[in-house]
Amino acid sequence: MSKQFFIYERAVPVSPVAHKDLSVQSNNDYSFASETNSIPLTTAEFLLAAKEYAIVFTGNENSVFPVAVLGVRENENLYISEDNRWNAEYIPAFIRRYPFVFSHDAESGRHLLCVDESYSGTNTVGLGERLFGESGEQTQYTKTVLGFMQAYQTQSDLTREFCNTLKALDLLQGVEARVSMGSGQQASLKGFQVINRDKLNALPNNALSEMARNGGLEVIYAHLQSLKNMERLGVKAKTAAGKG
């Protein structure tokens, strides 16, 4: 699985000088994510996301992070319709935060709010919500965006802690999934990991009890249940192929 997170083309720090006249008009155009075959999820989203997406883990030997699988090929998002709308009831927070993103400033140790200036909804003619008032002060819209971004960052940090626990308990295993696309064709998804049920069931009681107390077991079972949605990807792939 590749090209997972690169939906930002020109993200720059939000500034009352550079963006004093900038407005953001929200729309239902999700074409910015049309070539993204997976999107990061936080554990707080698992229960809702598991109803529609296959949730897996991706990364390397040092760290992993959960993602929602969106396509069976590289540069493919089967959850975007022909008119560029998001074709699912639940839209991941990673997508909902666009065109904004945090960048980490190594010098100050702070997170800086950035905006993707390439987003089709950005403009300087007052359409949508302004980022700054006439005196350069943050508008309520910008403050609301910052609140959402801070909450998202907190959940991302908690998700990394959860993933570190999974690695420490050696619960993850690499797998390969084959998705039927009709007419005898199959697509192979590689490079991701899932939780091993046998290893989970073999955990000592104290580890299981701790995960039950902190909500980890609920997250794990949502992940395992979500894997059935690989079949949903196959259906979407067949439909897309029929339109091609």
Side-chain angles (χ1 to χ4, degrees), residues 38-158:
S38 62
I39 284 294
L41 287 174
T42 65
T43 51
E45 301 178 85
F46 272 38
L47 292 183
L48 288 174
K51 298 177 181 179
E52 301 183 273
Y53 308 93
I55 302 172
V56 301
F57 296 85
T58 185
N60 52 44
E61 293 181 359
N62 298 320
S63 65
V64 296
F65 205 83
V67 297
V69 183
L70 305 177
V72 297
R73 303 182 185 88
E74 292 186 9
N75 307 332
E76 174 185 70
N77 186 340
L78 295 170
Y79 286 81
I80 292 183
S81 63
E82 291 183 340
D83 58 356
N84 291 321
R85 293 176 180 269
W86 198 271
N87 191 18
E89 189 171 324
Y90 180 74
I91 302 175
F94 187 93
I95 294 295
R96 285 184 279 120
R97 69 179 184 168
Y98 187 83
F100 299 99
V101 65
F102 267 160
S103 68
H104 182 70
D105 181 45
E107 185 173 329
S108 66
R110 296 169 54 239
H111 288 98
L112 302 177
L113 181 66
C114 297
V115 62
D116 188 348
E117 294 179 331
S118 70
Y119 175 52
S120 61
T122 57
N123 65 90
T124 56
V125 294
L127 297 177
E129 302 285 350
R130 287 179 62 97
L131 298 187
F132 297 97
E134 295 299 327
S135 302
E137 76 281 5
Q138 293 179 353
T139 61
Q140 184 57 51
Y141 171 74
T142 301
K143 293 177 181 178
T144 299
V145 168
L146 274 168
F148 179 84
M149 296 299 300
Q150 289 162 353
Y152 180 85
Q153 187 61 46
T154 296
Q155 291 301 325
S156 293
D157 293 341
L158 291 172

Side-chain angles (χ1 to χ4, degrees), residues 182-194:
S183 302
Q185 292 184 318
Q186 286 191 330
S188 179
L189 288 172
K190 302 178 181 179
F192 66 90
Q193 300 175 63
V194 300

Side-chain angles (χ1 to χ4, degrees), residues 1 56-60 64 167 170-177 189-196 199 223 227:
M1 294 167 62
V56 301
F57 296 85
T58 185
N60 52 44
V64 296
K167 288 184 67 66
D170 192 29
L171 292 180
L172 295 169
Q173 67 171 6
V175 296
E176 176 180 341
L189 288 172
K190 302 178 181 179
F192 66 90
Q193 300 175 63
V194 300
I195 291 173
N196 183 303
K199 289 184 176 181
H223 150 67
L227 297 179

